[in-house]
Amino acid sequence: MNFDLTPEQELIRDTVRQFAKDRVAPVAAELDREHRFPYDLVAELGELGLMGLPIPEEYGGAGGDTVSYAIAIEELTRIDSSVAITVAAHTSLGTMPILIFGSEEQRKQWLPDLASGRRLAAFGLTEPGAGSDAGATRTTAELRDGRWVVNGAKMFITNAGTDITSCVTITALTGENEVSNIIVPNGTPGYEISPPMEKLGWRASDTRELSFRDAGVPEGNLLGPRGKGFQQFLEILDGGRISVGAMGVGLAQGAYDLAYAYAREREQFGRPISSFQAVQFRLVDMATEIEAGRNLVYRAAWLKDQGRPFARDAAMAKLYTGELSNRAVNSALQIHGGYGYMDEFAISRLYRDQKILEIGEGTNEVQRMVIAKHLGL
Ligand SMILES: Cc1cc2nc3c(=O)[nH]c(=O)nc-3n(C[C@H](O)[C@H](O)[C@H](O)COP(=O)(O)OP(=O)(O)OC[C@H]3O[C@@H](n4cnc5c(N)ncnc54)[C@H](O)[C@@H]3O)c2cc1C
């Protein structure tokens, strides 16, 4: 076995770590406080090739592997989850469906702008009545005079309403029990996007409710074969879980970094609190679990890069890192005492940003259901 990263993967780690430290860290608290979408950072990430990291170079991406992509998401989340989810949702959920299922014409039409970060894409699966039961899609798309006419609603869609969003790929019923994926460009008449939703965390990321009232798009906007939408989105979610797993590792690592520094600096009873074994044990448990979680995520990413089945491992990585990041932010805030409860301490933001990692792209319970199936239960 070889646990070493390749020189390219090391380079990605160093580049993103530096970027997160120099460019994201100074503005993360302000963006969160003002619920402000990080347009400038997205532009800079685009210039670095990080808005299309795993997209092939021929479509304007950086042609990186999944391990590199996971590392990039991990390093961004270590500093700020809003920026990380903006990149992860854009890449894994917005751009990937077009790369994997799109025709050559669709790839050429959409990918260069997306992979460069000039434009963003979203993925609209969740509906008000179809969350964990994602197959319960009620949105319809009816073929009329060479156009798909879409009616329905989507809920909690990341990146759907920014000034630079070009489209959302939605799941829709195109017949009885027939789900298909359709690309709906922003600006389509009848496609309405709510104001940004107010959230507990990820406050600088863009989350919207979408509604479609006779929104007509060209017939050619069907993505992949008609009726294959259900299988397609399951495949997309499998890949997306690697990036959300990477977010769990990054968030836990960021919480650990903050708690470690604070514990060595804060003195009580005449000595640094890091000298108390109870505090040390919290940090030790965090460090140990983070290593375990990181290995799960990298292994799932590596399997994907080898072209091997990875769905079980991605679900395990997502489940484990979601729960470990919960324990990590809780311990890290405890180590900060009352100061950790104050907005001016970054750990309070990480604490708020954590919970969604146990909900988005399949709740902990849904991951357990997926894993149970893989175990033959
Ligand atoms: C900030 C944010 C961003 C998001 N971004 C996107 C996006 O870009 N695109 C998109 O399509 N969606 C997105 N989502 C939606 C997200 O994927 C869903 O919220 C998630 O899948 C859960 O669905 P739900 O909220 O309807 O919860 P529900 O499905 O109603 O679940 C409620 C509770 O019931 C439990 N439950 C449900 N069914 C079962 C069962 N069979 N057994 C045991 N327990 C069960 C769940 O685990 C959960 O604890 C986002 C959500 C948020 C909050």
Side-chain angles (χ1 to χ4, degrees), residues 103-292:
S103 63
E104 200 48 35
E105 199 184 332
Q106 287 170 329
R107 289 172 171 183
K108 288 202 170 113
Q109 181 186 351
W110 298 100
L111 293 181
D113 273 349
L114 298 179
S116 64
R118 285 190 292 274
R119 308 295 301 269
L120 295 176
F123 183 64
L125 169 64
T126 306
E127 298 188 359
S132 299
D133 186 9
T137 302
R138 289 284 163 271
T139 297
T140 57
E142 197 188 327
L143 200 52
R144 273 189 234 153
D145 304 326
R147 293 178 79 70
W148 292 105
V149 180
V150 182
N151 281 287
K154 295 287 173 181
M155 187 57 121
F156 307 139
I157 308 305
T158 305
N159 285 340
T162 76
D163 297 347
I164 55 172
T165 301
S166 61
C167 63
V168 60
T169 297
I170 59 160
T171 49
L173 285 167
T174 47
E176 209 180 325
N177 292 326
E178 181 191 272
V179 176
S180 304
N181 285 326
I182 292 173
I183 302 171
V184 182
N186 283 39
T188 298
Y191 169 27
E192 277 173 27
I193 302 172
S194 78
M197 300 179 86
E198 298 292 327
K199 309 188 287 292
L200 173 69
W202 286 7
R203 288 186 167 171
S205 86
D206 183 80
T207 314
R208 310 277 183 152
E209 287 181 68
L210 316 180
S211 78
F212 306 91
R213 279 190 213 99
D214 287 333
V217 302
E219 187 176 359
N221 282 20
L222 179 73
L223 191 62
R226 182 171 173 166
K228 291 284 178 218
F230 193 69
Q231 289 92 319
Q232 288 180 2
F233 79 66
L234 289 182
E235 197 177 326
I236 289 303
L237 291 181
D238 287 341
R241 282 172 190 147
I242 296 176
S243 55
V244 181
M247 289 190 73
V249 176
L251 189 89
Q253 182 69 54
Y256 171 87
D257 296 342
L258 294 171
Y260 182 91
Y262 188 81
R264 285 161 64 99
E265 188 191 298
R266 172 71 172 170
E267 291 194 1
Q268 287 294 277
F269 300 96
R271 49 194 175 125
I273 60 170
S274 62
S275 68
F276 302 127
Q277 203 175 43
V279 172
Q280 290 176 0
F281 281 9
R282 279 190 185 274
L283 289 165
V284 167
D285 288 350
M286 286 162 80
T288 307
E289 290 194 15
I290 289 167
E291 282 308 324

Side-chain angles (χ1 to χ4, degrees), residues 55-99:
I55 308 302
E57 287 172 12
E58 60 179 306
Y59 301 114
D65 58 14
T66 313
V67 173
S68 301
Y69 171 56
I71 290 171
I73 297 300
E74 174 191 341
E75 290 296 333
L76 287 174
T77 317
R78 192 170 173 179
I79 299 296
D80 183 55
S81 292
S82 288
V83 172
I85 187 56
T86 299
V87 179
H90 167 69
T91 309
S92 293
L93 302 182
T95 312
M96 274 298 172
I98 300 176
L99 175 69

